[in-house]
Amino acid sequence: MSPLSTTAFCLLLAAQALASYSSYPPRPYKFGYEVDDGYYNRHHHKEESDSYGAKTGSYGYTDAHGIYRHVSYIADEQGYRAYVSTNEPGTAPQDPADVKMYAKPVAVYHKPAYYKPQPAYYKPEPAYYKPEPAYYKPQPAYYKPEPAYYKPEPAYSKPEPKYNKPEITYNKY
């Protein structure tokens, strides 16, 4: 299958899916996310829809150098309208199509980098690394056992006296 026919086939499937989906009323939804990559680069996107199919939202990014772009948009029966606020270099406050641009570009100055070769006699000194020895002197363990203070108490029990009761025997003679 050639790429053109694959594209046409995908468009046909999308049109069929859209036609079958359009018979259902729009369902309101809301979503959004914000991502910070830990290197001062951030981007975000928020959008919500109402029961009439109108969508409002915003998206944008800010990079580590302070360059930003923020786009707020509305898509409803009057069409798509966007409001762009940016300070990207090379942008101008123009209004192409239905987009309102609020551009305040940052001036970027590039200093030309001139190559200055080092003289032929220049030899950098090697950096020698000599770590300091780590002296480890373990602290003596002072263990002094506690004396045992347990002394059992003497048993003061007196044995019961045993009384032998003499048996009386009678002589038969």
Side-chain angles (χ1 to χ4, degrees), residues 85-114:
S85 179
T86 184
N87 69 348
E88 296 172 288
T91 56
Q94 303 172 12
D95 294 337
D98 283 334
V99 176
K100 299 290 182 194
M101 289 284 283
Y102 303 101
K104 295 178 185 173
V106 176
V108 178
Y109 299 105
H110 295 284
K111 281 187 170 181
Y114 294 108

Side-chain angles (χ1 to χ4, degrees), residues 143-149:
Y143 174 70
K144 192 174 185 182
E146 294 283 329
Y149 291 110

Side-chain angles (χ1 to χ4, degrees), residues 20-94:
S20 66
Y21 181 74
S22 63
S23 61
Y24 297 109
R27 294 183 183 166
Y29 65 87
K30 211 183 254 194
F31 78 89
Y33 65 87
E34 292 183 17
V35 177
D36 184 352
D37 70 354
Y39 296 102
Y40 302 103
N41 297 307
R42 290 174 280 227
H43 60 92
H44 65 277
H45 187 181
K46 292 180 184 173
E47 182 175 295
E48 60 183 79
S49 169
D50 62 10
S51 58
Y52 299 107
K55 294 170 181 47
T56 58
S58 66
Y59 61 90
Y61 73 92
T62 303
D63 69 5
H65 304 290
I67 305 295
Y68 69 90
R69 176 186 291 179
H70 181 82
V71 179
S72 297
Y73 60 89
I74 300 171
D76 55 10
E77 63 275 351
Q78 297 175 6
Y80 180 82
R81 298 175 308 281
Y83 304 94
V84 180
S85 179
T86 184
N87 69 348
E88 296 172 288
T91 56
Q94 303 172 12

